[in-house]
Amino acid sequence: MTDTSVERRLSTILAADVVGYSRLVGLDEAGTVAAIKRHIAELVEPKAMQYRGRIVKLMGDGLLMEFTSVVDAVLFAVEMQGGMSLRNDGLAENQRIVFRIGVNIGDIIVDGDDIHGDGVNVAARLEAMADPGGILLSEATHAQVRGKLDLNFESLGEREAKNIAQPIAVCRVLMDEKASSRMTEIQAIERRHRRTLVPLAAALGLALVLIGGGVGWWWTQASQTTDPTVLAVPDKPSVVVLPLENRSGDAAQDGLAGAISEDITAGLARFGELFVISPDSAARYRDGSKTPREIGRALGVGHVMSGGMQRAGDRLRVTVRLIEAESEAQVWSEKYDRKVDDLFLVQDEIVQAAVTALGETIWKSAAIRLAAKPIKDFAAYDYFLKGKEVFHKLTPDANREARGLLAKSVALDPDLGDAHVGLAWTQYIEVRAQWTTTGEAPLARADAHLATAQEKLGENEGIHRLKSKIAQARGQFDKALTHGKRALELNPNDGDLMASYGQMLTTSGEMAEARRWIEDAIRRNPHFPGWYASALSAVQYLEKDYAGAVTTLNRIAKLAIWDRRYLAASHAQLGDAAEAKAQVDAVLAKNPDFTLAKYAPTIKFRRPADSEHLIDGLRKAGFPE
């Protein structure tokens, strides 16, 4: 009998340990421990973020990790070994920290944040067999990356392993010229001399800029870090806007503080000359435990914007500051005391000041999207924020509740265009999720809401994003891509728009381009929301990387109904009938009327073979006809 209370999943596991740990500790315990901690913090953790890995636990002499993608896990392993090779260069033998690594794809048991099971045990045994500085893969892992990576592998046959019932088929990553080519990039960055800080105004050929009341100021350009263990800072001004601290003493104002931060981010993201981190990733640093330097290195940006918000009655105070991440020098700061109805004006001024600080030519060459006008009725905006928050729960009841809140918003302020966009989303999602309603009617209602929104907002990337999705739902692939491209023209930095465009490319059969856009979205939003993984898993499934799709989907904290459909199909294609059935049961629990006959007409891929491929997986999983 299977214990159904135990959570199991297929995952990619990486185990690593320090060669000769006991000897090194015997020679210099404090120095060895400090060196390992430094390598973990400076190399392993940033690389794990880059390749969407999770450090499950750290031991004194090693670590256990879990990855979304088999390919990412192997690339991480190669680049980690390359980074360590360079870090050890020139050190005495008794100071070198050398890792050996094992990577396996297999079944694991999830225990809170920890993982156990055969999949973990095999990875640990592979690590123990590996040469110093080497990487061993299980043959199952090798099968998933074969032909996808420009690396050479050597089969070592079957090996007996302690406490493993069956011999393990083992494959070694050859650390030859191909592996070195992966290392060359990281080593070149490491060796590059760190640039001296220079005034950005001089670098861009700009004069001093006067802001608000004739106050003059100057600032310095972000240093491009040379450390390969952090995400590389782009060759353009880059920034993350941290969530504003709610200083009102009223937790109910947290939503307003977050909304202001998101709108400032959206305003900055409209400038293609900037590199802007998405709000989802920024939210990871709201607790203030990380320094600007640490945040800049973790996210790969040169600047950090932070501040606070305080609301008292009809008055609103917003304070913001822009910090050069590496030096932690304050570039610019400002305080705004206004009536709460002037919120949009405040956000607009903050964007203007920040973009001017990040390069005057950017500001002069781009159009401002934010409407510089007061909010007619702040209660309407409050209903909009609440409706937006409820909508993201993605359940039928929450969708109905969100629609009611948004309806109240537009009743109070018919000119609040974002609320009309929100209402359109509540209609579209009925078709996407197939909770209760399918067909053209909800899409037509969404069109009507978007038409009203466009009257209020004009050209808006959010409107084009949803128009793209509606066109795809109707099988209008060229129209979907056109709207997706227009959204990106209006806001070229937005990770959500990039991932959405990747989805449109997926439905059009352009898998390589789709993957590129989704991965770019993940770079802009390293702590990406679950639906980015949904988008990536669709590409993986259609490319027949079923194990990769399962691993990706299992990283989503809360699976949506469409995630469970792909997860069921992927497990079925892998021959895992029990796991497939579990997902089928979960879908039918939410939507008892779901059948393949009803669902098939809503699957919209340009290539008929892709639709047939998905239906084949769903049928194998056991969905009712």
Side-chain angles (χ1 to χ4, degrees), residues 239 241 258-279 305 344 346-356 358 362-363 366-371 388 418 460-462 489-494 497:
V239 65
V241 181
I260 295 172
S261 309
E262 289 184 15
D263 284 349
I264 292 169
T265 300
L268 292 172
R270 288 179 180 87
F271 302 97
E273 298 89 338
L274 293 180
F275 182 94
V276 184
I277 292 293
S278 294
M305 182 182 286
F344 288 171
V346 171
Q347 291 172 178
D348 195 21
E349 289 183 25
I350 292 170
V351 171
Q352 290 186 47
V355 176
T356 305
L358 293 168
I362 297 171
W363 178 249
I368 307 169
R369 173 267 191 194
L370 287 175
K388 178 181 175 183
D418 287 335
N460 175 279
E461 68 275 14
E489 289 171 359
L490 292 168
N491 193 336
N493 275 292
D494 190 295
L497 298 181

Side-chain angles (χ1 to χ4, degrees), residues 118-133:
D118 290 343
V120 176
N121 295 338
V122 170
R125 297 297 175 258
L126 289 167
E127 162 255 293
M129 297 177 196
D131 295 329

Side-chain angles (χ1 to χ4, degrees), residues 388-622:
K388 178 181 175 183
E389 181 180 1
V390 170
F391 172 79
H392 284 101
K393 294 179 182 179
L394 292 177
T395 67
D397 289 343
N399 198 51
R400 286 189 288 271
E401 183 183 353
R403 189 175 295 162
L405 290 166
L406 292 165
K408 289 180 180 179
S409 176
V410 298
L412 290 170
D413 183 359
D415 290 332
L416 192 56
D418 287 335
H420 290 284
V421 176
L423 283 167
W425 272 102
T426 68
Q427 297 293 337
Y428 165 77
I429 207 69
E430 292 282 357
V431 176
R432 176 75 169 94
Q434 286 211 313
W435 285 316
T436 56
T437 307
T438 58
E440 176 61 27
L443 297 181
R445 290 192 289 270
D447 283 337
H449 286 304
L450 288 180
T452 303
Q454 193 150 13
E455 289 177 11
K456 310 303 179 185
L457 297 174
E459 278 289 86
N460 175 279
E461 68 275 14
I463 292 174
H464 282 287
R465 177 190 173 198
L466 187 47
K467 283 186 174 183
S468 177
K469 288 181 172 295
I470 291 170
Q472 185 273 327
R474 289 171 168 149
Q476 299 167 340
F477 304 108
D478 291 336
K479 187 175 182 180
L481 291 173
T482 297
H483 282 297
K485 288 177 183 177
R486 182 57 183 148
L488 286 166
E489 289 171 359
L490 292 168
N491 193 336
N493 275 292
D494 190 295
D496 287 359
L497 298 181
M498 292 176 177
S500 288
Y501 188 57
Q503 289 177 316
M504 297 307 105
L505 289 164
T506 301
T507 60
S508 288
E510 300 178 42
M511 300 304 169
E513 272 294 284
R515 184 185 287 273
R516 186 177 71 81
W517 278 99
I518 296 166
E519 289 177 347
D520 197 1
I522 289 170
R523 171 61 184 91
R524 306 297 176 115
N525 193 357
H527 303 294
F528 53 91
W531 70 268
Y532 284 26
S534 302
L536 180 59
S537 70
V539 176
Q540 292 170 316
Y541 178 87
L542 293 172
E543 290 182 330
K544 299 185 179 181
D545 178 11
Y546 307 122
V550 168
T551 302
T552 297
L553 289 167
N554 278 333
R555 296 296 303 276
I556 299 175
K558 185 179 180 181
L559 292 168
I561 194 167
W562 46 82
D563 296 323
R564 293 191 181 279
R565 290 195 290 252
Y566 269 99
L567 193 51
S570 298
H571 276 302
Q573 298 289 12
L574 289 169
D576 191 344
E579 287 293 338
K581 184 180 184 303
Q583 299 306 321
V584 171
D585 291 345
V587 170
L588 295 178
K590 287 189 175 183
N591 187 354
D593 296 328
F594 181 91
T595 65
L596 293 179
K598 292 179 181 178
Y599 181 56
T602 72
I603 300 175
K604 303 295 183 181
F605 289 109
R606 190 190 293 269
R607 301 185 305 191
D610 289 336
S611 300
E612 293 164 6
H613 184 185
L614 179 55
I615 288 293
D616 176 63
L618 297 174
R619 182 170 286 116
K620 287 177 179 176

Side-chain angles (χ1 to χ4, degrees), residues 118 121 125 160-166:
D118 290 343
N121 295 338
R125 297 297 175 258
E160 298 285 344
K162 181 180 178 182
N163 295 330
I164 303 295
Q166 300 295 326

